[in-house]
Amino acid sequence: MGTRNVKDGLNLSLQIDKDCHQHGAVTEEIDGLIKVYEDEHVERPKIVPCVTSDLPHELGVTSRDVVIDKFTNIWARFYVSIKCHGKLPLLVYFHGGGFCVGSAAWSCYHDFLARLAAETSSIIMSVNYRLAPESPLPAAYDDGIKALMWLKQQALSVGADNWWTSQCNFSNIFLAGDSAGANIAYNIITRPGSFNAGQAAAAMKPLSLRGIVLIQPFFGGEARTNSEKYLVQSPRSALSLAASDTYWRLALPCGSNRDHPWCNPLAKGLDVELEDLLRFPIMVCISEMDILKDRSLEFVASLDRAGKMVEHVVHKGVGHAFQILSKSQLSRTRTLEMMSQIKDFISGI
């Protein structure tokens, strides 16, 4: 037994040496999630399993995967509530993962979004976008806009696959996402030429955006907030300050810092152009134990001062990404509360 353990250890050591020799030294790493080497080789351990679109029949939701752009491998997983009659609202959803990890096929997202579709009586389009560092920002934003343009074509196509289009109200669309996905939803709307403003909005018809849902939006900045500096995180926290900094180094354009407007929308204040763009109701979900709490509260306050239609909820006693990663009873309760709040936001517009 002792001999085999020594051999196993030797084999592991040789494999590590081989990897280091093959790809060079590790330049960036978030333990268990991503490792980047000198030669730009990227490893992502399968910490969360990817699953097919299958769902239990009793949930009352059907799901399928659809290719949006085969050349850039952008695809989406649709969730359609089948217990409701008539046209349903559509949530275009972007998953989290610091722009560097995550998938629309991750089991945690598959479960959460299937239940959200059932709870909100809606159609959800979960977009699988390109990841950094192989495809740094603005690749994810570009993919989001491409997904919306694809949606427009589906709305205009007479012979479109009617398993979901026949139930979809294309004039009742919401953008949503959690963490980095919330950042994507926000930056799609505020990018120049987006379908938010004037002529661009007309060009996107028959699509009509009604609101935005930002769950624990992943923003940053060079100056630390109090929650970033002082909020104690458990070892199992979904987002530490060190991990946040690493994600931004990998995702932002080369030479940028965390006051880049894609990371810190308030670095230079909420400018006039941005105020004109944000004409839609915005819901922001904040977790009390999240290091991003204070930054999210500052973001909400800034929108409120600018006269925007913004509302927020603070989920007590839970941390970042609790709704997809935590299985505690408190997290389950807060997740049900979140789903109910999102349902009220969608139905109230």
Side-chain angles (χ1 to χ4, degrees):
M1 182 67 71
T3 303
R4 187 159 69 180
N5 285 343
V6 170
K7 289 181 178 179
D8 289 345
L10 180 59
N11 289 338
L12 178 60
S13 177
L14 290 173
Q15 181 62 46
I16 292 172
D17 289 343
K18 179 182 177 182
D19 290 342
C20 291
H21 177 73
Q22 184 177 355
H23 301 296
V26 174
T27 57
E28 296 282 6
E29 182 177 9
I30 300 174
D31 188 39
L33 287 169
I34 188 169
K35 188 180 291 187
V36 183
Y37 292 85
E38 275 183 322
D39 66 352
E40 300 183 354
H41 173 75
V42 179
E43 292 178 358
R44 295 181 178 88
K46 298 186 184 301
I47 192 169
V48 178
C50 289
V51 296
T52 67
S53 60
D54 293 342
L55 289 169
H57 179 74
E58 58 269 20
L59 189 61
V61 174
T62 59
S63 178
R64 296 185 196 173
D65 295 339
V66 177
V67 175
I68 294 175
D69 186 340
K70 65 181 181 181
F71 298 105
T72 53
N73 197 30
I74 305 170
W75 58 274
R77 178 163 293 181
F78 277 82
Y79 301 87
V80 182
S81 175
I82 57 177
K83 292 183 177 179
C84 303
H85 301 288
K87 299 289 187 178
L88 304 177
L90 171 65
L91 275 72
V92 182
Y93 194 94
F94 301 94
H95 68 77
F99 306 104
C100 298
V101 298
S103 169
W106 268 13
S107 59
C108 53
Y109 279 109
H110 185 59
D111 176 65
F112 172 69
L113 293 177
R115 291 188 294 131
L116 184 62
E119 176 66 26
T120 58
S121 301
S122 66
I123 298 172
I124 296 179
M125 174 186 176
S126 177
V127 180
N128 201 73
Y129 53 87
R130 288 173 292 170
L131 299 176
E134 300 94 328
S135 301
L137 296 174
Y141 306 150
D142 294 339
D143 294 350
I145 292 173
K146 183 172 289 186
L148 293 175
M149 295 301 296
W150 178 88
L151 265 183
K152 174 187 174 181
Q153 293 304 315
Q154 301 307 301
L156 294 172
S157 299
V158 176
D161 185 358
N162 64 8
W163 76 274
W164 68 272
T165 55
S166 61
Q167 292 181 255
C168 182
N169 183 353
F170 287 101
S171 64
N172 195 15
I173 293 178
F174 294 80
L175 295 190
D178 68 286
S179 195
N183 178 297
I184 293 169
Y186 175 80
N187 276 293
I188 286 175
I189 293 303
T190 56
R191 288 187 82 190
S194 72
F195 79 125
N196 185 354
Q199 295 178 345
M204 289 302 295
K205 289 185 177 179
L207 302 186
S208 180
L209 180 66
R210 303 298 301 279
I212 311 166
V213 180
L214 306 179
I215 302 172
Q216 304 135 17
F218 185 45
F219 295 130
E222 286 297 305
R224 304 298 195 189
T225 65
N226 282 338
S227 60
E228 288 171 342
K229 288 189 292 186
Y230 304 123
L231 195 58
V232 177
Q233 298 293 293
S234 74
R236 295 183 297 172
S237 172
L239 185 68
S240 67
L241 191 58
S244 174
D245 289 350
T246 301
Y247 283 137
W248 284 120
R249 285 195 299 271
L250 293 174
L252 285 170
C254 185
S256 302
N257 67 18
R258 293 189 306 275
D259 280 335
H260 189 288
W262 293 340
C263 175
N264 187 358
L266 305 182
K268 299 180 180 179
L270 201 65
D271 61 37
V272 175
E273 180 182 7
L274 198 57
E275 290 184 20
D276 291 340
L277 285 172
L278 292 172
R279 295 176 294 143
F280 306 104
I282 301 174
M283 177 183 185
V284 183
C285 298
I286 302 169
S287 295
E288 183 183 33
M289 307 308 293
D290 188 356
I291 62 168
L292 301 179
K293 177 187 69 174
D294 287 350
R295 198 170 291 281
S296 295
L297 289 171
E298 290 175 4
F299 173 72
V300 169
S302 182
L303 291 177
D304 189 56
R305 286 193 299 270
K308 303 300 104 180
M309 296 176 285
V310 60
E311 62 182 76
H312 76 282
V313 292
V314 177
H315 297 110
K316 301 290 186 180
V318 287
H320 194 78
F322 73 89
Q323 72 283 357
I324 60 163
L325 295 178
S326 177
K327 302 298 183 183
S328 73
Q329 186 56 53
L330 177 60
S331 291
R332 292 175 188 271
T333 300
R334 295 290 182 260
T335 298
L336 291 175
E337 291 174 359
M338 175 189 286
M339 290 182 177
S340 179
Q341 291 155 349
I342 293 173
K343 178 181 181 179
D344 290 345
F345 177 76
I346 292 172
S347 61
I349 295 176

